[in-house]
Amino acid sequence: MFKKIIKGTGHRKPSKSDGNDSYGFGPPGTRNSGSNVVVNHASRGAPLTSGPNSGNIAPTATATPPMVSVEPLPQFRDVPVSERQILFLRKLQVCCFQFDFSDTLKSVREKEIKRQSLLELVDFIQSGSGKITETCQEEMIRMVSVNVFRCLPPASHENTGQENIDPEEDEPYLEPSWPHLQLVYELLLRYVVSADTDTKIAKRYIDHSFVLKLLDLFDSEDPREREYLKTILHRIYGKFMVHRPFIRKAINNIFYRFIYETERHSGIGELLEILGSIINGFALPMKEEHKLFLVRALIPLHKPKPVSMYHHQLSYCITQFVEKDYKLADMVIRGLLKYWPVTNCQKEILFLGELEEVLEATQSAEFQCCMVPLFRQIARCLNSSHFQVAERALFLWNNEHIVSLIAQNRNVILPIIFEALEKNIKSHWNQAVHGLTVNVRKMFLEMDTELFEECQNHYIEKESRASEVEEQRQLNWKRLADVAAQRDGVDMVSV
């Protein structure tokens, strides 16, 4: 990844909002200034400036004198080993300067000095050429905070009033300061994964406040930034065991706000990717806390309109739970049925795909608990006028495990779906759906001829009764029409 950064720092595709995110630049702030830099989505569009008169700028409290301008520093290999820690701090000071990236011709020399300093810092941490002191670690985290914790620019829907749109149909927003921001993220990642990083010391600076601000940045529209954040947060979760419950709870809260308040967040997919690997590591028997997370957060994530943007990751997390503890299958399937879409056919296709993955990990006992409401819904899908929905439902019979579950419980399932199969054969407009339905019908016939004939006779009787009721209804209407016509005639005579 580091080599890619060195190669890829030249030309980039211009952002459509480059002019919205301007920064001033000035000398680095105080050691505690990182705590004053917050990601506030309520004022997402407000620019964050740090100029000489911004009020929070003071000399860094280290042995090195404060820097008032960006000047090139010697490389680490050009100074004695004993002076490298001091040089490390000086380079961190250079990297605390922030620049206006809306104008590519502004501060070109200073931007390049900062970029080179970041590259050297990354290389220094990655090479493990020397264990950095606690002071250096503190200053490095402060520098990271100054650079990455910022007000995010307004989201596209906030500018236009439109609903969330498919990211494949619109160009993603690209952070103008990415040439520097990417290297800052890379430095943080290298620090977190380094074998020389002592978690007992590092957790003083990568604390709950720091983690919470990282999570706020997942709402960035730049996919490159979210990818780095995903990797870094995952590494923090793996290395800092003390933060694990807090991280899970914080992600939970993001999901709650997304589901029940905003239905707008750019990083739900990335957060679910992190959770996928976390769930994979859950010990058995599963804690009640994890089951509550499934019920209260993951299953309700099927409700929001933009579910298609993160459904693949969500489906993986749900399946992981069922594979870990098969007894959760009944709860998951009933949860899917609760949020089953009524008018959104594309969403319905996604649900059917997820349902197949869950059923593949479902055992017979749990299947029997939910098969009646499940196959009532599947029957409705079989008769859908949207051919892709009907086709996807019929594809369930291509899965050997699902077919074996159906075969074991055919006495309950066939009576539920027999009418839907017959209606498809008689009147569905799509030939592919018609052919698949014939195959499923034939499968049931071969599975249990006696049961099939019984269902067929019951269906014929039901159709016959329905025909008689319809004839009687038409006859009643005819009688009413005749009586009305006679009365009209009498009235005309009397007049």
Side-chain angles (χ1 to χ4, degrees):
M1 186 179 286
F2 182 52
K3 291 179 180 177
K4 289 181 182 177
I5 293 168
I6 298 173
K7 293 178 181 176
T9 51
H11 300 288
R12 72 174 180 86
K13 182 179 180 182
S15 165
K16 61 183 178 184
S17 302
D18 275 0
N20 295 338
D21 199 35
S22 59
Y23 295 87
F25 82 90
T30 64
R31 185 179 297 186
N32 296 323
S33 65
S35 62
N36 296 326
V37 184
V38 295
V39 179
N40 184 358
H41 295 289
S43 58
R44 185 168 179 165
L48 177 65
T49 59
S50 57
N53 301 317
S54 60
N56 64 344
I57 302 301
T60 306
T62 65
T64 59
M67 299 184 68
V68 294
S69 63
V70 178
E71 296 297 336
L73 295 169
Q75 296 187 7
F76 284 107
R77 65 172 178 264
D78 296 334
V79 299
V81 175
S82 59
E83 296 179 14
R84 287 180 182 176
Q85 298 292 329
I86 299 297
L87 181 58
F88 189 90
L89 289 171
R90 299 287 290 179
K91 288 184 182 292
L92 288 175
Q93 287 184 341
V94 169
C95 296
C96 283
F97 285 85
Q98 293 175 296
F99 302 98
D100 179 4
F101 277 84
S102 62
D103 185 353
T104 55
L105 301 178
K106 190 176 179 181
S107 307
V108 175
R109 174 179 168 275
E110 289 83 357
K111 289 175 184 176
E112 181 59 24
I113 291 172
K114 178 177 177 178
R115 192 183 73 84
Q116 287 298 332
S117 297
L118 284 167
L119 282 169
E120 289 170 26
L121 288 170
V122 172
D123 187 49
F124 186 80
I125 295 292
Q126 188 174 11
S127 63
S129 53
K131 190 173 182 180
I132 60 175
T133 63
E134 185 174 344
T135 302
C136 289
Q137 292 181 55
E138 181 180 4
E139 289 301 308
M140 182 174 66
I141 296 302
R142 189 187 69 80
M143 183 276 291
V144 170
S145 300
V146 166
N147 280 277
V148 304
F149 298 148
R150 65 205 190 280
C151 291
L152 297 173
S156 56
H157 64 263
E158 292 174 4
N159 286 333
T160 63
Q162 295 177 349
E163 293 291 326
N164 283 356
I165 55 177
D166 190 335
E168 294 180 1
E169 296 179 3
D170 189 54
E171 290 185 16
Y173 167 79
L174 298 177
E175 174 60 48
S177 61
W178 186 246
H180 288 178
L181 200 59
Q182 180 184 18
L183 292 169
V184 176
Y185 279 126
E186 185 68 23
L187 177 64
L188 177 59
L189 176 60
R190 292 301 162 196
Y191 170 69
V192 171
V193 303
S194 173
D196 294 329
T197 301
D198 186 349
T199 54
K200 292 180 181 178
I201 296 172
K203 72 180 181 181
R204 298 173 193 169
Y205 314 114
I206 300 181
D207 55 8
H208 285 181
S209 175
F210 185 88
V211 169
L212 206 56
K213 291 171 187 174
L214 273 184
L215 282 165
D216 280 337
L217 289 171
F218 273 87
D219 202 16
S220 168
E221 288 193 41
D222 193 328
R224 304 167 301 179
E225 182 169 15
R226 296 200 305 270
E227 191 67 25
Y228 260 105
L229 287 165
K230 178 187 73 175
T231 306
I232 291 167
L233 187 66
H234 190 200
R235 295 291 189 171
I236 290 173
Y237 186 92
K239 191 154 191 169
F240 297 83
M241 294 186 68
V242 67
H243 291 336
R244 289 183 181 183
F246 178 80
I247 291 173
R248 291 198 300 268
K249 184 177 179 181
I251 293 175
N252 216 356
N253 291 337
I254 291 173
F255 287 165
Y256 287 157
R257 187 165 184 263
F258 172 71
I259 295 165
Y260 300 111
E261 293 182 20
T262 64
E263 287 198 358
R264 287 167 175 165
H265 195 285
S266 300
I268 298 297
E270 285 79 8
L271 291 171
L272 286 169
E273 281 188 55
I274 297 170
L275 284 169
S277 59
I278 291 174
I279 294 164
N280 196 29
F282 283 165
L284 295 175
M286 199 173 288
K287 293 179 182 179
E288 194 64 27
E289 170 203 345
H290 303 328
K291 294 180 182 178
L292 286 174
F293 173 69
L294 170 67
V295 175
R296 295 177 179 176
L298 287 186
I299 292 177
L301 274 172
H302 291 86
K303 179 185 175 183
K305 289 180 182 178
V307 64
S308 60
M309 296 172 66
Y310 56 81
H311 183 265
H312 176 72
Q313 296 92 329
L314 176 60
S315 178
Y316 178 77
C317 289
I318 295 286
T319 309
Q320 284 288 304
F321 264 104
V322 179
E323 288 177 354
K324 276 279 177 183
D325 186 354
Y326 64 87
K327 292 180 181 178
L328 296 172
D330 174 46
M331 182 194 303
V332 167
I333 291 171
R334 289 182 183 274
L336 280 172
L337 295 175
K338 178 181 178 181
Y339 296 106
W340 200 276
V342 178
T343 59
N344 190 332
C345 295
Q346 293 304 320
K347 193 173 175 181
E348 204 166 1
I349 293 167
L350 294 176
F351 274 50
L352 285 165
E354 182 178 352
L355 178 63
E356 181 174 357
E357 292 181 12
V358 172
L359 286 173
E360 208 162 352
T362 303
Q363 303 299 316
S364 181
E366 286 67 38
F367 180 77
Q368 290 172 358
C369 293
C370 61
M371 61 184 178
V372 173
L374 171 61
F375 278 88
R376 283 176 182 160
Q377 181 59 57
I378 289 174
R380 287 191 285 272
C381 292
L382 291 174
N383 288 147
S384 173
S385 57
H386 194 294
F387 80 96
Q388 289 179 323
V389 174
E391 192 175 55
R392 189 65 190 82
L394 288 161
F395 282 158
L396 293 173
W397 274 267
N398 290 340
N399 189 299
E400 291 183 8
H401 180 69
I402 296 175
V403 169
S404 69
L405 291 173
I406 292 172
Q408 294 168 25
N409 302 279
R410 58 186 180 274
N411 291 331
V412 176
I413 293 171
L414 183 57
I416 295 173
I417 66 165
F418 188 87
E419 184 176 347
L421 294 173
E422 292 298 310
K423 283 182 179 178
N424 269 8
I425 291 173
K426 284 183 178 179
S427 58
H428 202 284
W429 65 272
N430 185 269
Q431 288 300 314
V433 171
H434 186 274
L436 289 168
T437 305
V438 169
N439 292 339
V440 171
R441 186 178 183 275
K442 183 180 178 183
M443 191 183 295
F444 276 113
L445 179 61
E446 294 172 353
M447 201 181 286
D448 192 331
T449 306
E450 186 178 341
L451 175 64
F452 185 90
E453 290 176 353
E454 183 182 332
C455 290
Q456 191 172 37
N457 292 335
H458 180 74
Y459 174 74
I460 292 170
E461 289 176 10
K462 184 179 177 181
E463 287 291 295
S464 177
R465 287 196 300 271
S467 179
E468 290 174 5
V469 168
E470 178 61 23
E471 287 177 7
Q472 186 62 44
R473 189 177 70 85
Q474 294 293 342
L475 183 60
N476 290 340
W477 276 110
K478 188 175 183 302
R479 287 174 180 172
L480 285 171
D482 291 344
V483 170
Q486 289 176 3
R487 286 188 176 181
D488 286 344
V490 171
D491 291 343
M492 288 176 67
V493 170
S494 61
V495 171

